[in-house]
Amino acid sequence: MTAPAATPNTHRRRLGRSTVAVLAGFGAVAGLSLGTDQVLHTLRVYPPWGQAMADGLFVLATAYRIVYTVLGGYITARLAPHAPVRHALILGLVGLVPGVAGVIVAIAKPELGPLWYPIALAVSGLPCAWLGGVLYRQPVRQ
């Protein structure tokens, strides 16, 4: 028995679901990261916006962003219509763009914080998103 041929509507629908999957993962990472930042500023763990932070606080921010990126990869893989790990990798590649932009801004404005922080985010994004996709992957049924 062969699968029915894909129609243009089927292809568009799959492309739409793929796009939604990647955007949902990206939105989760960005929303959770910025939301956690705001909560930590409100709780005065972080200094007020615009004031310098200690390196230890950047380590904390890196840690939860890594967790959120793995979660974003998982969400993307879960929502993907096919090839969940590939979709998670696409999320990692999409996230590389703002990651590299962050490095460029940090080089131009060193007063914003240590250079290692945006480099760590840019370098860790792709493997973390991949890990989220792998964690989602369903076990092979025998």
Side-chain angles (χ1 to χ4, degrees):
M1 184 171 179
T2 60
T7 66
N9 283 341
T10 304
H11 180 69
R12 268 193 295 267
R13 204 171 22 234
R14 238 168 90 166
L15 180 60
R17 287 182 61 203
S18 291
T19 302
V20 166
V22 173
L23 289 176
F26 188 85
V29 174
L32 288 168
S33 296
L34 296 174
T36 301
D37 289 347
Q38 184 58 48
V39 167
L40 292 175
H41 280 287
T42 301
L43 295 174
R44 297 188 177 157
V45 173
Y46 286 175
W49 290 101
Q51 290 187 12
M53 289 195 335
D55 277 5
L57 297 177
F58 283 103
V59 171
L60 174 62
T62 303
Y64 62 76
R65 279 174 165 73
I66 285 173
V67 172
Y68 295 159
T69 304
V70 173
L71 178 62
Y74 183 91
I75 290 168
T76 297
R78 172 70 180 88
L79 296 175
H82 61 90
V85 176
R86 183 180 328 148
H87 281 76
L89 285 170
I90 291 169
L91 170 66
L93 290 171
V94 168
L96 191 58
V97 174
V100 169
V103 172
I104 292 168
V105 169
I107 290 169
K109 296 184 174 237
E111 68 275 8
L112 293 178
L115 183 57
W116 65 262
Y117 174 68
I119 291 173
L121 295 181
V123 169
S124 67
L126 189 60
C128 289
W130 169 82
L131 178 59
V134 169
L135 289 174
Y136 167 73
R137 190 169 50 201
Q138 298 294 321
V140 176
R141 298 180 196 265
Q142 296 178 346

mmCIF file of all heavy atoms in Angstrom, residues 19-37 64-79 91 94:
data_model
loop_
_atom_site.group_PDB
_atom_site.id
_atom_site.type_symbol
_atom_site.label_atom_id
_atom_site.label_comp_id
_atom_site.label_asym_id
_atom_site.label_seq_id
_atom_site.Cartn_x
_atom_site.Cartn_y
_atom_site.Cartn_z
ATOM 1 N N THR A 19 6.643 25.905 10.435
ATOM 2 C CA THR A 19 6.914 27.288 10.834
ATOM 3 C C THR A 19 6.385 27.558 12.233
ATOM 4 O O THR A 19 7.076 28.153 13.069
ATOM 5 C CB THR A 19 6.296 28.266 9.816
ATOM 6 O OG1 THR A 19 6.837 27.977 8.527
ATOM 7 C CG2 THR A 19 6.584 29.706 10.181
ATOM 8 N N VAL A 20 5.164 27.117 12.508
ATOM 9 C CA VAL A 20 4.570 27.310 13.835
ATOM 10 C C VAL A 20 5.405 26.597 14.894
ATOM 11 O O VAL A 20 5.628 27.136 15.989
ATOM 12 C CB VAL A 20 3.102 26.837 13.853
ATOM 13 C CG1 VAL A 20 2.574 26.710 15.272
ATOM 14 C CG2 VAL A 20 2.234 27.780 13.042
ATOM 15 N N ALA A 21 5.888 25.401 14.587
ATOM 16 C CA ALA A 21 6.695 24.647 15.551
ATOM 17 C C ALA A 21 7.960 25.414 15.922
ATOM 18 O O ALA A 21 8.294 25.547 17.108
ATOM 19 C CB ALA A 21 7.056 23.270 14.977
ATOM 20 N N VAL A 22 8.660 25.932 14.926
ATOM 21 C CA VAL A 22 9.901 26.666 15.190
ATOM 22 C C VAL A 22 9.601 27.979 15.917
ATOM 23 O O VAL A 22 10.285 28.336 16.886
ATOM 24 C CB VAL A 22 10.688 26.911 13.884
ATOM 25 C CG1 VAL A 22 11.887 27.822 14.119
ATOM 26 C CG2 VAL A 22 11.144 25.578 13.285
ATOM 27 N N LEU A 23 8.572 28.692 15.487
ATOM 28 C CA LEU A 23 8.214 29.950 16.150
ATOM 29 C C LEU A 23 7.767 29.718 17.595
ATOM 30 O O LEU A 23 8.075 30.523 18.477
ATOM 31 C CB LEU A 23 7.128 30.684 15.361
ATOM 32 C CG LEU A 23 7.579 31.292 14.033
ATOM 33 C CD1 LEU A 23 6.379 31.896 13.303
ATOM 34 C CD2 LEU A 23 8.676 32.321 14.229
ATOM 35 N N ALA A 24 7.061 28.632 17.836
ATOM 36 C CA ALA A 24 6.627 28.321 19.209
ATOM 37 C C ALA A 24 7.833 28.044 20.106
ATOM 38 O O ALA A 24 7.892 28.521 21.245
ATOM 39 C CB ALA A 24 5.673 27.130 19.206
ATOM 40 N N GLY A 25 8.784 27.293 19.596
ATOM 41 C CA GLY A 25 9.998 27.026 20.373
ATOM 42 C C GLY A 25 10.779 28.303 20.641
ATOM 43 O O GLY A 25 11.220 28.555 21.767
ATOM 44 N N PHE A 26 10.918 29.140 19.618
ATOM 45 C CA PHE A 26 11.631 30.405 19.772
ATOM 46 C C PHE A 26 10.901 31.315 20.760
ATOM 47 O O PHE A 26 11.524 31.931 21.628
ATOM 48 C CB PHE A 26 11.777 31.103 18.416
ATOM 49 C CG PHE A 26 12.666 32.310 18.461
ATOM 50 C CD1 PHE A 26 14.033 32.175 18.339
ATOM 51 C CD2 PHE A 26 12.132 33.577 18.624
ATOM 52 C CE1 PHE A 26 14.863 33.293 18.388
ATOM 53 C CE2 PHE A 26 12.945 34.690 18.681
ATOM 54 C CZ PHE A 26 14.322 34.551 18.553
ATOM 55 N N GLY A 27 9.581 31.380 20.630
ATOM 56 C CA GLY A 27 8.792 32.208 21.544
ATOM 57 C C GLY A 27 8.902 31.734 22.985
ATOM 58 O O GLY A 27 8.971 32.546 23.909
ATOM 59 N N ALA A 28 8.936 30.429 23.169
ATOM 60 C CA ALA A 28 9.080 29.884 24.520
ATOM 61 C C ALA A 28 10.423 30.273 25.122
ATOM 62 O O ALA A 28 10.493 30.721 26.273
ATOM 63 C CB ALA A 28 8.921 28.361 24.499
ATOM 64 N N VAL A 29 11.495 30.128 24.341
ATOM 65 C CA VAL A 29 12.831 30.477 24.845
ATOM 66 C C VAL A 29 12.897 31.968 25.166
ATOM 67 O O VAL A 29 13.337 32.367 26.259
ATOM 68 C CB VAL A 29 13.928 30.092 23.828
ATOM 69 C CG1 VAL A 29 15.294 30.595 24.288
ATOM 70 C CG2 VAL A 29 13.964 28.592 23.601
ATOM 71 N N ALA A 30 12.463 32.798 24.237
ATOM 72 C CA ALA A 30 12.536 34.249 24.441
ATOM 73 C C ALA A 30 11.630 34.685 25.590
ATOM 74 O O ALA A 30 12.055 35.455 26.470
ATOM 75 C CB ALA A 30 12.159 34.980 23.154
ATOM 76 N N GLY A 31 10.397 34.195 25.600
ATOM 77 C CA GLY A 31 9.455 34.593 26.645
ATOM 78 C C GLY A 31 9.891 34.165 28.033
ATOM 79 O O GLY A 31 9.843 34.953 28.988
ATOM 80 N N LEU A 32 10.331 32.927 28.150
ATOM 81 C CA LEU A 32 10.790 32.440 29.454
ATOM 82 C C LEU A 32 12.055 33.166 29.908
ATOM 83 O O LEU A 32 12.192 33.516 31.086
ATOM 84 C CB LEU A 32 11.033 30.931 29.408
ATOM 85 C CG LEU A 32 9.785 30.061 29.346
ATOM 86 C CD1 LEU A 32 10.160 28.617 29.002
ATOM 87 C CD2 LEU A 32 9.023 30.135 30.655
ATOM 88 N N SER A 33 12.973 33.414 28.982
ATOM 89 C CA SER A 33 14.223 34.098 29.336
ATOM 90 C C SER A 33 13.947 35.521 29.802
ATOM 91 O O SER A 33 14.410 35.937 30.875
ATOM 92 C CB SER A 33 15.178 34.119 28.142
ATOM 93 O OG SER A 33 15.569 32.817 27.793
ATOM 94 N N LEU A 34 13.198 36.269 29.014
ATOM 95 C CA LEU A 34 12.902 37.654 29.379
ATOM 96 C C LEU A 34 12.005 37.731 30.608
ATOM 97 O O LEU A 34 12.176 38.619 31.453
ATOM 98 C CB LEU A 34 12.280 38.388 28.193
ATOM 99 C CG LEU A 34 13.197 38.542 26.976
ATOM 100 C CD1 LEU A 34 12.441 39.159 25.806
ATOM 101 C CD2 LEU A 34 14.433 39.354 27.319
ATOM 102 N N GLY A 35 11.071 36.797 30.720
ATOM 103 C CA GLY A 35 10.209 36.761 31.901
ATOM 104 C C GLY A 35 11.002 36.483 33.169
ATOM 105 O O GLY A 35 10.785 37.125 34.206
ATOM 106 N N THR A 36 11.928 35.539 33.099
ATOM 107 C CA THR A 36 12.768 35.235 34.257
ATOM 108 C C THR A 36 13.659 36.428 34.591
ATOM 109 O O THR A 36 13.836 36.759 35.771
ATOM 110 C CB THR A 36 13.610 33.970 33.996
ATOM 111 O OG1 THR A 36 12.721 32.880 33.725
ATOM 112 C CG2 THR A 36 14.477 33.627 35.200
ATOM 113 N N ASP A 37 14.203 37.071 33.562
ATOM 114 C CA ASP A 37 14.991 38.286 33.802
ATOM 115 C C ASP A 37 14.165 39.302 34.596
ATOM 116 O O ASP A 37 14.631 39.856 35.593
ATOM 117 C CB ASP A 37 15.414 38.940 32.489
ATOM 118 C CG ASP A 37 16.479 38.172 31.730
ATOM 119 O OD1 ASP A 37 17.088 37.248 32.299
ATOM 120 O OD2 ASP A 37 16.699 38.516 30.545
ATOM 121 N N TYR A 64 19.910 29.378 33.173
ATOM 122 C CA TYR A 64 18.486 29.196 32.863
ATOM 123 C C TYR A 64 18.204 29.364 31.380
ATOM 124 O O TYR A 64 17.289 28.742 30.857
ATOM 125 C CB TYR A 64 17.556 30.027 33.754
ATOM 126 C CG TYR A 64 17.638 31.528 33.723
ATOM 127 C CD1 TYR A 64 17.112 32.269 32.668
ATOM 128 C CD2 TYR A 64 18.178 32.217 34.794
ATOM 129 C CE1 TYR A 64 17.157 33.646 32.679
ATOM 130 C CE2 TYR A 64 18.215 33.595 34.822
ATOM 131 C CZ TYR A 64 17.695 34.317 33.749
ATOM 132 O OH TYR A 64 17.721 35.684 33.763
ATOM 133 N N ARG A 65 19.000 30.122 30.674
ATOM 134 C CA ARG A 65 18.800 30.206 29.220
ATOM 135 C C ARG A 65 19.140 28.865 28.544
ATOM 136 O O ARG A 65 18.495 28.481 27.572
ATOM 137 C CB ARG A 65 19.618 31.350 28.640
ATOM 138 C CG ARG A 65 18.930 32.687 28.825
ATOM 139 C CD ARG A 65 19.792 33.846 28.376
ATOM 140 N NE ARG A 65 19.038 35.067 28.233
ATOM 141 C CZ ARG A 65 18.568 35.807 29.227
ATOM 142 N NH1 ARG A 65 18.781 35.427 30.467
ATOM 143 N NH2 ARG A 65 17.888 36.903 29.003
ATOM 144 N N ILE A 66 20.119 28.165 29.053
ATOM 145 C CA ILE A 66 20.440 26.843 28.510
ATOM 146 C C ILE A 66 19.255 25.896 28.721
ATOM 147 O O ILE A 66 18.831 25.193 27.797
ATOM 148 C CB ILE A 66 21.734 26.293 29.145
ATOM 149 C CG1 ILE A 66 22.938 27.014 28.543
ATOM 150 C CG2 ILE A 66 21.850 24.781 28.983
ATOM 151 C CD1 ILE A 66 24.265 26.696 29.204
ATOM 152 N N VAL A 67 18.710 25.890 29.923
ATOM 153 C CA VAL A 67 17.541 25.034 30.214
ATOM 154 C C VAL A 67 16.375 25.413 29.310
ATOM 155 O O VAL A 67 15.710 24.543 28.734
ATOM 156 C CB VAL A 67 17.154 25.128 31.702
ATOM 157 C CG1 VAL A 67 15.841 24.416 31.974
ATOM 158 C CG2 VAL A 67 18.266 24.571 32.583
ATOM 159 N N TYR A 68 16.119 26.705 29.156
ATOM 160 C CA TYR A 68 14.992 27.155 28.329
ATOM 161 C C TYR A 68 15.212 26.817 26.856
ATOM 162 O O TYR A 68 14.259 26.534 26.137
ATOM 163 C CB TYR A 68 14.760 28.652 28.495
ATOM 164 C CG TYR A 68 14.315 29.061 29.883
ATOM 165 C CD1 TYR A 68 14.476 30.357 30.323
ATOM 166 C CD2 TYR A 68 13.727 28.156 30.767
ATOM 167 C CE1 TYR A 68 14.065 30.758 31.592
ATOM 168 C CE2 TYR A 68 13.327 28.531 32.028
ATOM 169 C CZ TYR A 68 13.493 29.842 32.436
ATOM 170 O OH TYR A 68 13.078 30.224 33.688
ATOM 171 N N THR A 69 16.460 26.842 26.401
ATOM 172 C CA THR A 69 16.733 26.489 25.004
ATOM 173 C C THR A 69 16.504 25.001 24.762
ATOM 174 O O THR A 69 15.969 24.611 23.720
ATOM 175 C CB THR A 69 18.159 26.919 24.605
ATOM 176 O OG1 THR A 69 18.298 28.322 24.848
ATOM 177 C CG2 THR A 69 18.428 26.635 23.137
ATOM 178 N N VAL A 70 16.875 24.164 25.715
ATOM 179 C CA VAL A 70 16.566 22.735 25.603
ATOM 180 C C VAL A 70 15.046 22.548 25.557
ATOM 181 O O VAL A 70 14.527 21.804 24.716
ATOM 182 C CB VAL A 70 17.197 21.937 26.765
ATOM 183 C CG1 VAL A 70 16.730 20.484 26.746
ATOM 184 C CG2 VAL A 70 18.724 22.001 26.694
ATOM 185 N N LEU A 71 14.335 23.242 26.424
ATOM 186 C CA LEU A 71 12.869 23.170 26.421
ATOM 187 C C LEU A 71 12.295 23.660 25.096
ATOM 188 O O LEU A 71 11.368 23.054 24.555
ATOM 189 C CB LEU A 71 12.300 23.984 27.585
ATOM 190 C CG LEU A 71 10.773 24.035 27.683
ATOM 191 C CD1 LEU A 71 10.194 22.634 27.899
ATOM 192 C CD2 LEU A 71 10.349 24.978 28.795
ATOM 193 N N GLY A 72 12.845 24.732 24.556
ATOM 194 C CA GLY A 72 12.387 25.237 23.256
ATOM 195 C C GLY A 72 12.589 24.211 22.151
ATOM 196 O O GLY A 72 11.737 24.040 21.277
ATOM 197 N N GLY A 73 13.732 23.520 22.173
ATOM 198 C CA GLY A 73 13.974 22.452 21.198
ATOM 199 C C GLY A 73 12.970 21.328 21.353
ATOM 200 O O GLY A 73 12.480 20.757 20.371
ATOM 201 N N TYR A 74 12.640 20.997 22.600
ATOM 202 C CA TYR A 74 11.648 19.955 22.867
ATOM 203 C C TYR A 74 10.268 20.374 22.328
ATOM 204 O O TYR A 74 9.587 19.587 21.676
ATOM 205 C CB TYR A 74 11.569 19.691 24.375
ATOM 206 C CG TYR A 74 10.625 18.576 24.733
ATOM 207 C CD1 TYR A 74 11.089 17.270 24.829
ATOM 208 C CD2 TYR A 74 9.275 18.819 24.960
ATOM 209 C CE1 TYR A 74 10.224 16.233 25.147
ATOM 210 C CE2 TYR A 74 8.403 17.788 25.278
ATOM 211 C CZ TYR A 74 8.883 16.502 25.370
ATOM 212 O OH TYR A 74 8.021 15.472 25.666
ATOM 213 N N ILE A 75 9.872 21.599 22.610
ATOM 214 C CA ILE A 75 8.570 22.102 22.138
ATOM 215 C C ILE A 75 8.524 22.089 20.621
ATOM 216 O O ILE A 75 7.534 21.648 20.016
ATOM 217 C CB ILE A 75 8.317 23.521 22.691
ATOM 218 C CG1 ILE A 75 8.055 23.457 24.198
ATOM 219 C CG2 ILE A 75 7.154 24.201 21.965
ATOM 220 C CD1 ILE A 75 8.077 24.803 24.896
ATOM 221 N N THR A 76 9.596 22.565 19.991
ATOM 222 C CA THR A 76 9.650 22.571 18.527
ATOM 223 C C THR A 76 9.522 21.155 17.978
ATOM 224 O O THR A 76 8.742 20.905 17.051
ATOM 225 C CB THR A 76 10.958 23.223 18.042
ATOM 226 O OG1 THR A 76 10.972 24.584 18.468
ATOM 227 C CG2 THR A 76 11.088 23.160 16.531
ATOM 228 N N ALA A 77 10.266 20.221 18.543
ATOM 229 C CA ALA A 77 10.209 18.832 18.085
ATOM 230 C C ALA A 77 8.817 18.246 18.292
ATOM 231 O O ALA A 77 8.298 17.530 17.427
ATOM 232 C CB ALA A 77 11.257 17.998 18.822
ATOM 233 N N ARG A 78 8.213 18.560 19.411
ATOM 234 C CA ARG A 78 6.880 18.031 19.739
ATOM 235 C C ARG A 78 5.831 18.521 18.748
ATOM 236 O O ARG A 78 4.909 17.799 18.369
ATOM 237 C CB ARG A 78 6.501 18.453 21.173
ATOM 238 C CG ARG A 78 5.089 18.139 21.590
ATOM 239 C CD ARG A 78 4.901 16.640 21.752
ATOM 240 N NE ARG A 78 3.562 16.314 22.143
ATOM 241 C CZ ARG A 78 2.539 16.089 21.314
ATOM 242 N NH1 ARG A 78 2.720 16.183 20.015
ATOM 243 N NH2 ARG A 78 1.354 15.787 21.779
ATOM 244 N N LEU A 79 5.962 19.763 18.310
ATOM 245 C CA LEU A 79 4.979 20.344 17.388
ATOM 246 C C LEU A 79 5.289 20.092 15.917
ATOM 247 O O LEU A 79 4.440 20.330 15.060
ATOM 248 C CB LEU A 79 4.880 21.856 17.626
ATOM 249 C CG LEU A 79 4.360 22.283 18.999
ATOM 250 C CD1 LEU A 79 4.436 23.790 19.135
ATOM 251 C CD2 LEU A 79 2.947 21.775 19.231
ATOM 252 N N LEU A 91 15.517 25.450 14.766
ATOM 253 C CA LEU A 91 15.351 26.416 15.851
ATOM 254 C C LEU A 91 16.720 26.909 16.328
ATOM 255 O O LEU A 91 16.919 28.113 16.525
ATOM 256 C CB LEU A 91 14.595 25.792 17.024
ATOM 257 C CG LEU A 91 14.572 26.631 18.304
ATOM 258 C CD1 LEU A 91 13.777 27.910 18.097
ATOM 259 C CD2 LEU A 91 14.016 25.819 19.462
ATOM 260 N N VAL A 94 18.068 29.324 13.808
ATOM 261 C CA VAL A 94 17.344 30.600 13.881
ATOM 262 C C VAL A 94 17.837 31.396 15.087
ATOM 263 O O VAL A 94 18.056 32.609 15.004
ATOM 264 C CB VAL A 94 15.814 30.362 13.952
ATOM 265 C CG1 VAL A 94 15.070 31.624 14.325
ATOM 266 C CG2 VAL A 94 15.307 29.810 12.621
#
